mmCIF file of all heavy atoms in Angstrom:
data_model
loop_
_atom_site.group_PDB
_atom_site.id
_atom_site.type_symbol
_atom_site.label_atom_id
_atom_site.label_comp_id
_atom_site.label_asym_id
_atom_site.label_seq_id
_atom_site.Cartn_x
_atom_site.Cartn_y
_atom_site.Cartn_z
ATOM 1 N N THR G 152 -41.412 1.273 -19.116
ATOM 2 C CA THR G 152 -40.753 1.773 -17.899
ATOM 3 C C THR G 152 -41.813 2.000 -16.822
ATOM 4 O O THR G 152 -43.033 1.979 -17.105
ATOM 5 C CB THR G 152 -40.040 3.120 -18.168
ATOM 6 O OG1 THR G 152 -41.031 4.183 -18.141
ATOM 7 C CG2 THR G 152 -39.319 3.144 -19.498
ATOM 8 N N PRO G 153 -41.392 2.271 -15.576
ATOM 9 C CA PRO G 153 -42.387 2.577 -14.517
ATOM 10 C C PRO G 153 -43.221 3.807 -14.861
ATOM 11 O O PRO G 153 -44.315 3.963 -14.314
ATOM 12 C CB PRO G 153 -41.522 2.830 -13.280
ATOM 13 C CG PRO G 153 -40.241 2.115 -13.555
ATOM 14 C CD PRO G 153 -40.031 2.195 -15.026
ATOM 15 N N GLU G 154 -42.723 4.650 -15.741
ATOM 16 C CA GLU G 154 -43.492 5.853 -16.104
ATOM 17 C C GLU G 154 -44.465 5.613 -17.249
ATOM 18 O O GLU G 154 -45.266 6.495 -17.581
ATOM 19 C CB GLU G 154 -42.549 7.001 -16.474
ATOM 20 C CG GLU G 154 -41.983 7.760 -15.301
ATOM 21 C CD GLU G 154 -40.757 7.068 -14.723
ATOM 22 O OE1 GLU G 154 -40.031 6.403 -15.486
ATOM 23 O OE2 GLU G 154 -40.542 7.162 -13.491
ATOM 24 N N THR G 155 -44.367 4.470 -17.903
ATOM 25 C CA THR G 155 -45.245 4.179 -19.023
ATOM 26 C C THR G 155 -46.682 3.941 -18.504
ATOM 27 O O THR G 155 -46.882 3.160 -17.594
ATOM 28 C CB THR G 155 -44.771 2.948 -19.799
ATOM 29 O OG1 THR G 155 -43.363 3.093 -20.102
ATOM 30 C CG2 THR G 155 -45.517 2.785 -21.115
ATOM 31 N N SER G 156 -47.642 4.610 -19.108
ATOM 32 C CA SER G 156 -49.053 4.485 -18.657
ATOM 33 C C SER G 156 -49.576 3.067 -19.007
ATOM 34 O O SER G 156 -49.046 2.413 -19.903
ATOM 35 C CB SER G 156 -49.913 5.524 -19.345
ATOM 36 O OG SER G 156 -50.022 5.213 -20.734
ATOM 37 N N ASP G 157 -50.598 2.644 -18.271
ATOM 38 C CA ASP G 157 -51.175 1.352 -18.528
ATOM 39 C C ASP G 157 -51.626 1.193 -19.989
ATOM 40 O O ASP G 157 -51.403 0.175 -20.648
ATOM 41 C CB ASP G 157 -52.382 1.068 -17.611
ATOM 42 C CG ASP G 157 -51.911 0.697 -16.211
ATOM 43 O OD1 ASP G 157 -50.671 0.740 -15.969
ATOM 44 O OD2 ASP G 157 -52.764 0.368 -15.362
ATOM 45 N N ALA G 158 -52.289 2.237 -20.475
ATOM 46 C CA ALA G 158 -52.788 2.176 -21.862
ATOM 47 C C ALA G 158 -51.645 1.987 -22.839
ATOM 48 O O ALA G 158 -51.739 1.216 -23.801
ATOM 49 C CB ALA G 158 -53.568 3.450 -22.183
ATOM 50 N N ARG G 159 -50.562 2.711 -22.575
ATOM 51 C CA ARG G 159 -49.407 2.619 -23.478
ATOM 52 C C ARG G 159 -48.707 1.259 -23.326
ATOM 53 O O ARG G 159 -48.244 0.702 -24.321
ATOM 54 C CB ARG G 159 -48.448 3.766 -23.184
ATOM 55 C CG ARG G 159 -47.303 3.843 -24.166
ATOM 56 C CD ARG G 159 -46.515 5.140 -24.025
ATOM 57 N NE ARG G 159 -45.242 5.011 -24.704
ATOM 58 C CZ ARG G 159 -45.099 5.093 -26.024
ATOM 59 N NH1 ARG G 159 -46.148 5.356 -26.801
ATOM 60 N NH2 ARG G 159 -43.919 4.919 -26.598
ATOM 61 N N ILE G 160 -48.643 0.726 -22.114
ATOM 62 C CA ILE G 160 -48.071 -0.614 -21.909
ATOM 63 C C ILE G 160 -48.844 -1.639 -22.761
ATOM 64 O O ILE G 160 -48.251 -2.459 -23.446
ATOM 65 C CB ILE G 160 -48.094 -1.012 -20.413
ATOM 66 C CG1 ILE G 160 -47.070 -0.197 -19.647
ATOM 67 C CG2 ILE G 160 -47.794 -2.514 -20.261
ATOM 68 C CD1 ILE G 160 -47.120 -0.363 -18.127
ATOM 69 N N ARG G 161 -50.172 -1.517 -22.734
ATOM 70 C CA ARG G 161 -50.986 -2.474 -23.525
ATOM 71 C C ARG G 161 -50.688 -2.317 -25.029
ATOM 72 O O ARG G 161 -50.630 -3.318 -25.762
ATOM 73 C CB ARG G 161 -52.480 -2.246 -23.258
ATOM 74 C CG ARG G 161 -52.850 -2.602 -21.834
ATOM 75 C CD ARG G 161 -54.307 -3.029 -21.695
ATOM 76 N NE ARG G 161 -54.615 -3.321 -20.301
ATOM 77 C CZ ARG G 161 -54.265 -4.447 -19.710
ATOM 78 N NH1 ARG G 161 -53.668 -5.425 -20.363
ATOM 79 N NH2 ARG G 161 -54.537 -4.658 -18.419
ATOM 80 N N ARG G 162 -50.528 -1.096 -25.461
ATOM 81 C CA ARG G 162 -50.263 -0.830 -26.865
ATOM 82 C C ARG G 162 -48.875 -1.408 -27.251
ATOM 83 O O ARG G 162 -48.729 -2.086 -28.288
ATOM 84 C CB ARG G 162 -50.269 0.685 -27.076
ATOM 85 C CG ARG G 162 -50.150 1.154 -28.464
ATOM 86 C CD ARG G 162 -50.395 2.696 -28.531
ATOM 87 N NE ARG G 162 -49.756 3.270 -29.696
ATOM 88 C CZ ARG G 162 -50.256 3.182 -30.913
ATOM 89 N NH1 ARG G 162 -51.390 2.554 -31.123
ATOM 90 N NH2 ARG G 162 -49.616 3.725 -31.943
ATOM 91 N N LEU G 163 -47.879 -1.184 -26.411
ATOM 92 C CA LEU G 163 -46.530 -1.666 -26.711
ATOM 93 C C LEU G 163 -46.486 -3.194 -26.622
ATOM 94 O O LEU G 163 -45.768 -3.861 -27.371
ATOM 95 C CB LEU G 163 -45.506 -1.027 -25.766
ATOM 96 C CG LEU G 163 -45.376 0.505 -25.951
ATOM 97 C CD1 LEU G 163 -44.444 1.090 -24.886
ATOM 98 C CD2 LEU G 163 -44.834 0.843 -27.346
ATOM 99 N N ASP G 164 -47.255 -3.750 -25.668
ATOM 100 C CA ASP G 164 -47.342 -5.215 -25.549
ATOM 101 C C ASP G 164 -47.959 -5.800 -26.785
ATOM 102 O O ASP G 164 -47.507 -6.841 -27.307
ATOM 103 C CB ASP G 164 -48.185 -5.549 -24.303
ATOM 104 C CG ASP G 164 -48.343 -7.061 -24.114
ATOM 105 O OD1 ASP G 164 -47.327 -7.772 -24.191
ATOM 106 O OD2 ASP G 164 -49.499 -7.505 -23.903
ATOM 107 N N ALA G 165 -48.980 -5.126 -27.299
ATOM 108 C CA ALA G 165 -49.675 -5.629 -28.503
ATOM 109 C C ALA G 165 -48.711 -5.630 -29.697
ATOM 110 O O ALA G 165 -48.730 -6.550 -30.525
ATOM 111 C CB ALA G 165 -50.904 -4.785 -28.805
ATOM 112 N N PHE G 166 -47.861 -4.616 -29.778
ATOM 113 C CA PHE G 166 -46.887 -4.553 -30.894
ATOM 114 C C PHE G 166 -45.727 -5.520 -30.731
ATOM 115 O O PHE G 166 -45.104 -5.913 -31.682
ATOM 116 C CB PHE G 166 -46.294 -3.121 -30.986
ATOM 117 C CG PHE G 166 -47.188 -2.149 -31.693
ATOM 118 C CD1 PHE G 166 -47.386 -0.874 -31.176
ATOM 119 C CD2 PHE G 166 -47.787 -2.478 -32.903
ATOM 120 C CE1 PHE G 166 -48.187 0.045 -31.841
ATOM 121 C CE2 PHE G 166 -48.582 -1.564 -33.567
ATOM 122 C CZ PHE G 166 -48.800 -0.288 -33.036
ATOM 123 N N SER G 167 -45.435 -5.888 -29.468
ATOM 124 C CA SER G 167 -44.238 -6.745 -29.218
ATOM 125 C C SER G 167 -44.545 -8.188 -29.493
ATOM 126 O O SER G 167 -45.679 -8.646 -29.341
ATOM 127 C CB SER G 167 -43.787 -6.588 -27.768
ATOM 128 O OG SER G 167 -43.381 -5.256 -27.524
ATOM 129 N N ASN G 168 -43.498 -8.918 -29.856
ATOM 130 C CA ASN G 168 -43.602 -10.372 -29.978
ATOM 131 C C ASN G 168 -42.411 -10.986 -29.249
ATOM 132 O O ASN G 168 -41.319 -10.418 -29.233
ATOM 133 C CB ASN G 168 -43.593 -10.795 -31.422
ATOM 134 C CG ASN G 168 -44.901 -10.478 -32.109
ATOM 135 O OD1 ASN G 168 -45.937 -11.012 -31.728
ATOM 136 N ND2 ASN G 168 -44.844 -9.576 -33.071
ATOM 137 N N GLY G 169 -42.613 -12.158 -28.659
ATOM 138 C CA GLY G 169 -41.524 -12.829 -27.959
ATOM 139 C C GLY G 169 -41.558 -12.517 -26.470
ATOM 140 O O GLY G 169 -41.904 -13.342 -25.658
ATOM 141 N N PHE G 170 -41.196 -11.276 -26.125
ATOM 142 C CA PHE G 170 -41.326 -10.844 -24.754
ATOM 143 C C PHE G 170 -41.426 -9.312 -24.716
ATOM 144 O O PHE G 170 -41.242 -8.645 -25.737
ATOM 145 C CB PHE G 170 -40.181 -11.354 -23.873
ATOM 146 C CG PHE G 170 -38.802 -10.825 -24.171
ATOM 147 C CD1 PHE G 170 -38.286 -9.723 -23.494
ATOM 148 C CD2 PHE G 170 -38.007 -11.443 -25.129
ATOM 149 C CE1 PHE G 170 -37.019 -9.238 -23.782
ATOM 150 C CE2 PHE G 170 -36.716 -10.973 -25.412
ATOM 151 C CZ PHE G 170 -36.229 -9.862 -24.730
ATOM 152 N N LEU G 171 -41.722 -8.786 -23.533
ATOM 153 C CA LEU G 171 -41.738 -7.352 -23.325
ATOM 154 C C LEU G 171 -40.611 -7.020 -22.379
ATOM 155 O O LEU G 171 -40.366 -7.746 -21.399
ATOM 156 C CB LEU G 171 -43.084 -6.936 -22.704
ATOM 157 C CG LEU G 171 -43.428 -5.464 -22.672
ATOM 158 C CD1 LEU G 171 -43.557 -4.882 -24.056
ATOM 159 C CD2 LEU G 171 -44.726 -5.216 -21.885
ATOM 160 N N TYR G 172 -39.869 -5.972 -22.691
ATOM 161 C CA TYR G 172 -38.675 -5.602 -21.946
ATOM 162 C C TYR G 172 -39.054 -4.554 -20.919
ATOM 163 O O TYR G 172 -39.373 -3.417 -21.281
ATOM 164 C CB TYR G 172 -37.648 -5.054 -22.933
ATOM 165 C CG TYR G 172 -36.240 -4.852 -22.420
ATOM 166 C CD1 TYR G 172 -35.130 -5.228 -23.215
ATOM 167 C CD2 TYR G 172 -35.977 -4.261 -21.190
ATOM 168 C CE1 TYR G 172 -33.841 -5.000 -22.769
ATOM 169 C CE2 TYR G 172 -34.673 -4.059 -20.743
ATOM 170 C CZ TYR G 172 -33.620 -4.432 -21.534
ATOM 171 O OH TYR G 172 -32.341 -4.236 -21.105
ATOM 172 N N ALA G 173 -39.051 -4.940 -19.650
ATOM 173 C CA ALA G 173 -39.421 -3.977 -18.608
ATOM 174 C C ALA G 173 -38.169 -3.318 -18.034
ATOM 175 O O ALA G 173 -37.366 -3.963 -17.377
ATOM 176 C CB ALA G 173 -40.185 -4.676 -17.499
#
Side-chain angles (χ1 to χ4, degrees):
Chain G
T152 79
E154 278 84 31
T155 310
S156 69
D157 282 5
R159 186 169 164 78
I160 288 172
R161 293 207 182 281
R162 185 171 157 77
L163 295 174
D164 178 48
F166 279 135
S167 296
N168 286 297
F170 65 95
L171 192 63
Y172 190 137

